[in-house]
Every structure is written in structure tokens, then in C-alpha cells.
Amino acid sequence: MVTVGLLYPGHSAEDDYPALEARLDGAVRLPVVITSVGEDAHRVDALLDLGRAERLADGAAELAAERPDAVMWACTSGSFVFGPEGARNQASGVAAAVGAPASSTSIAFVDALNHLGLTKVAIAASYPEDVAGHFVRFLTAGGTEVVSMGSHGIITAAEVGTLAADQVISMVKAADHPDAEAILVPDTAMHTLAIVDELEAAVGKPVLTANQVTVWKGLQLAGPVPSLPGLGSLFGEQQ
């Protein structure tokens, strides 16, 4: 069984992962280690602190006991605020600490879009606009055109974690744009793994969510990605 270890900051939607593991009935292990948080705030200075090397190294040392085949820094904003090079450095540090290949949610979004051959996207962001702008720049550097962005100004991850499925679906529908080939939902603090198919049905196109691409990238690092039910277009065929 493949084990994808997850470094997850604080408490908001970390239960998305064990719930998925249970639904997949042993197809994959998704152990979660909670990394330390200074201030729970979608603010650039707080996010730079959230993703600093010392916090990730401490979590990685704990996660090593799970003997993961791959490790993901399951945090979008705490990776994209560092820019593409900074995000790669984060992943390299985690990989060295655990002794397994590693990546992050921000990198996973770019790689998932490349895998699907999609270049134009809309973003349904929970973050304030200035923070969401960092994600736009990260995607642009990876070759993606952002045709529309909806930002909802939610400051804390804890609040994002309380959003109900119908609220997430409404956010995605509101963010859609005729030119967008896919819609991205970038916050790992948002519960999405149980509703990816519903999100795609609501807009009639691929929807990539933070927790979904995190699992996908971890599996890709470990080997061929299996076709998994209920996880949208990204998992729709043997890869």
C-alpha cells in the first residue's frame, strides 16, 4: 500500500484526509502530522512564518516514523507566498528531512494543470485579494493564464474549515468564467475531498481543489497514480 505523508498546518480541514482514506478502503495511506502555527491568518507575513523551514523540519521529523513513500506540504498559501523557487526549496528541505520525495500543494496545482493540458483557469479563493494575488503570480510563472479570480476575504483557516458543501459549491459556481478550462479552489483549509464530483457537475468542467491535488501529487511522486472514484477528472483514468 502506498503511503503519502501529509504535513498540515494547524486545524481546519485536516480530517478531509483520513475521511478519504476510509472511503478508499485501504487503497492508500494518508497519515497527517500537524505542523506548528504562529498566527492563523491569511496575511503574507503570517504565511511566511507558517511555511518557514524550521516548522516543516519539525513536522518532517515526526512524519518520518510513518515511513512514507512521498510527502506533501499540504498548504497552498504557505507555499505560494515563497514564489516558485522558494516553494521548490521548501519541498527539497522536507525531502531531505524525511528521506522521501516531497512537494507542496502550490506545485501540485501547476503540475496537475500541466498533466491535464489546461492553460486557462478561474480561481475560487477564500483568501483576501492580496494573498490570492500571490497565487495568481505563482500560476502565471508556471505557464497558466488566470482569466478570473474570486476572492472572499476570509482571514483564518479555522473559519474556512467551517464552510459547508453548499457554500463551497456556490463559491465555485460564482468563480466560473466562459474562458476558464478549469476552476481552482486553492485552500487546504476547505473541506473538498467528498464533493469534487459535485463541484465538477455544478460547472461542467474540471475543478481542482487543494486537498485533491495534494493527494494526486503525493501519489504521482510515489509511482503511477491509480484511478480513484469521487475525485474528479484529475483521477479519472489510469495514469
Side-chain angles (χ1 to χ4, degrees), residues 9-10 37 60 84 91 106 148 171 200:
V37 175
S106 293
S148 173
M171 285 176 63
E200 292 197 341

Side-chain angles (χ1 to χ4, degrees), residues 176-187:
D176 194 13
H177 186 280
D179 294 337
E181 299 168 325
I183 299 174
L184 310 190
V185 187
D187 200 342

Side-chain angles (χ1 to χ4, degrees), residues 56-227:
L56 298 187
D58 288 346
E62 185 178 346
L63 192 55
E66 298 285 350
R67 302 179 63 84
D69 299 294
V71 177
M72 292 297 296
W73 167 224
C75 182
T76 325
S77 55
S79 48
F80 66 61
V81 293
F82 289 84
E85 183 178 1
R88 287 191 291 270
N89 289 339
Q90 276 183 332
S92 296
V94 170
V98 180
S103 190
S104 69
T105 306
S106 293
I107 295 171
F109 269 113
V110 173
D111 290 352
L113 288 168
N114 289 336
H115 171 75
L116 292 171
L118 305 176
T119 59
K120 295 183 178 181
V121 303
I123 297 173
S126 52
Y127 322 117
E129 190 169 353
D130 64 323
V131 172
H134 283 267
F135 186 48
V136 172
R137 289 189 285 277
F138 192 98
L139 293 171
T140 301
T144 299
E145 180 184 349
V146 178
V147 298
S148 173
M149 182 184 73
S151 61
H152 289 261
I154 302 176
I155 296 296
T156 70
E159 182 180 350
V160 174
T162 68
L163 294 173
D166 60 340
Q167 293 175 291
V168 176
I169 292 168
S170 294
M171 285 176 63
V172 168
K173 290 172 69 174
D176 194 13
H177 186 280
D179 294 337
E181 299 168 325
I183 299 174
L184 310 190
V185 187
D187 200 342
T188 58
M190 192 180 294
H191 290 90
T192 61
L193 289 178
I195 60 168
V196 177
D197 283 355
E198 289 179 64
L199 294 173
E200 292 197 341
V203 292
K205 62 184 66 173
V207 175
L208 301 181
T209 80
N211 291 340
Q212 171 211 33
V213 300
T214 298
V215 173
W216 174 82
K217 183 63 185 178
L219 289 169
Q220 187 193 55
L221 289 173
V225 178
S227 177

Side-chain angles (χ1 to χ4, degrees), residues 10-29:
H11 298 279
S12 46
E14 72 275 16
D15 55 332
D16 239 13
Y17 297 105
L20 174 62
E21 184 180 315
R23 288 199 303 277
L24 295 177
D25 195 25
V28 60
R29 284 186 66 235

Side-chain angles (χ1 to χ4, degrees), residues 2 4 24 27-28 215-216 218-220 222-229 231-232 234-239:
V2 175
V4 175
L24 295 177
V28 60
V215 173
W216 174 82
L219 289 169
Q220 187 193 55
V225 178
S227 177
L228 297 176
L231 290 173
L234 185 60
F235 282 88
E237 56 187 56
Q238 192 75 28
Q239 299 169 42

